Amino acid sequence: MAQRFGGEFSPDGNKRPAAAPATALTPPLAGRARTSILMGLSALPVVTAFFQDGATSLAINILAAAVLFGGALVTREGLKAEAAWTARKIARRPAVPRKILGAVLTGAGVTLAAMTGFSGLFAGIVYGIVAAGLHLTAFGLDPMTDKGMEGVDTFQTDRVARSIEEAEKHLAAMQDAVLRARDREAESRVARVVARAREMFRAVEDDPRDLSAARKFLGVYLMGARDATAKFADLYAATRDPVVKTEYFALLDDLEKGMDAKRETLLITDRTDLDVEIEVLRDRLKRDGLPTGE
């Protein structure tokens, strides 16, 4: 569906500056086009099956197509997991190496497809190995190590991960609900709030000790914003009442200001902790008779 252009200089444009880009995944996802090509190629075994004799060949080719398509889907999920791992300063490696699994499935699919059209199982296995190798060359391996986890309390990081996962569900529900309002400006405002929220997520991920301070925003406030968005979308879609829209935008403004203030508080707390550590280190150097640069 076509969307009207909106911006700072449009007639109904928002005069507030746009939010800084969020670190969450945004399309286009790197490698997405290549996985789409793999999905398209999975149709070839089905097409060639009709030019071969026997029900067995038909069944094997259909199975090959399904395996190839599944490999492309798994690879795309692996790319998403890698992008999420890259975007975060502190991250665990993906629990399942999806890109490697996608390479295995691609090799298996090519093996099944080739063994019916060429010289049997051995030739199919060779083609499958080559296909798996080319897949790994094109997409690479999954992240195999944790990042930024040295000296980090794993219990705290697990709590943060669970809390942010729940908060992301609230944000996704907000973005889905506002679409029912069929209002471009409302969608833009929700997107800006989502960006602000994800900036705070990154601050909490950088220092898991901040989870308790940010818990209300991660849970209660975002849940309330989700419910308010759903009610606004339904009411505004039915009435197109500008007062309803104004009141909803005021709520989003308050939520956004609150998140900005909380994020600044978290950053100030981190700076205070750093200053304390620096002073303690300087005192120790002075006691040992070493220069401190003062």
Side-chain angles (χ1 to χ4, degrees), residues 250-270:
L251 172 66
L252 294 184
D253 286 339
D254 291 340
L255 180 62
E256 191 174 351
K257 291 175 183 177
M259 286 190 293
D260 286 344
K262 176 58 66 177
R263 182 169 174 269
E264 289 298 322
T265 300
L266 298 179
L267 294 176
I268 291 173
T269 301
D270 292 343

Side-chain angles (χ1 to χ4, degrees), residues 188-210:
S188 177
R189 286 292 291 108
V190 169
R192 193 168 71 192
V193 170
V194 169
R196 288 284 190 254
R198 285 172 174 159
E199 288 175 1
M200 188 173 67
F201 294 172
R202 302 293 84 81
V204 175
E205 283 180 330
D206 290 345
D207 189 351
R209 296 172 300 173
D210 294 333

Side-chain angles (χ1 to χ4, degrees), residues 14-224:
N14 197 315
K15 299 303 182 182
R16 294 185 59 181
T23 54
L25 305 183
T26 55
L29 180 67
R32 184 183 183 92
R34 281 172 284 167
T35 58
S36 298
I37 293 173
L38 287 181
M39 292 178 185
L41 291 176
S42 65
L44 290 178
V46 178
V47 175
T48 58
F50 293 101
F51 298 96
Q52 298 176 8
D53 297 329
T56 301
S57 296
L58 176 62
I60 292 177
N61 277 277
I62 291 176
L63 178 60
V67 173
L68 286 170
F69 190 82
L73 287 178
V74 171
T75 301
R76 179 171 291 182
E77 292 302 313
L79 292 173
K80 292 179 181 178
E82 182 182 29
W85 183 89
T86 302
R88 291 173 170 82
K89 295 181 180 179
I90 301 175
R92 292 185 180 277
R93 66 180 183 274
V96 178
R98 297 177 182 88
K99 291 202 294 182
I100 295 176
L101 180 58
V104 173
L105 290 174
T106 299
V110 170
T111 297
L112 291 171
M115 64 183 287
T116 60
F118 293 94
S119 55
L121 179 60
F122 178 75
I125 291 175
V126 172
Y127 281 106
I129 292 174
V130 172
L134 291 174
H135 184 287
L136 292 176
T137 302
F139 296 99
L141 297 174
D142 300 88
M144 304 303 292
T145 59
D146 297 334
K147 181 172 67 171
M149 300 292 292
E150 297 81 4
V152 175
D153 187 345
T154 56
F155 174 74
Q156 282 292 89
T157 56
D158 288 340
R159 289 180 62 207
V160 169
R162 288 194 298 269
S163 298
I164 290 179
E165 183 178 358
E166 289 299 316
E168 284 284 1
K169 292 179 181 178
H170 298 325
L171 296 181
M174 284 180 63
Q175 291 180 300
D176 183 64
V178 77
L179 295 177
R180 299 199 300 269
R182 298 184 179 278
D183 185 271
R184 178 63 176 168
E185 189 179 5
E187 293 174 22
S188 177
R189 286 292 291 108
V190 169
R192 193 168 71 192
V193 170
V194 169
R196 288 284 190 254
R198 285 172 174 159
E199 288 175 1
M200 188 173 67
F201 294 172
R202 302 293 84 81
V204 175
E205 283 180 330
D206 290 345
D207 189 351
R209 296 172 300 173
D210 294 333
L211 176 61
S212 298
R215 188 179 293 275
K216 283 186 178 180
F217 282 95
L218 295 178
V220 178
Y221 293 162
L222 289 182
M223 185 184 300

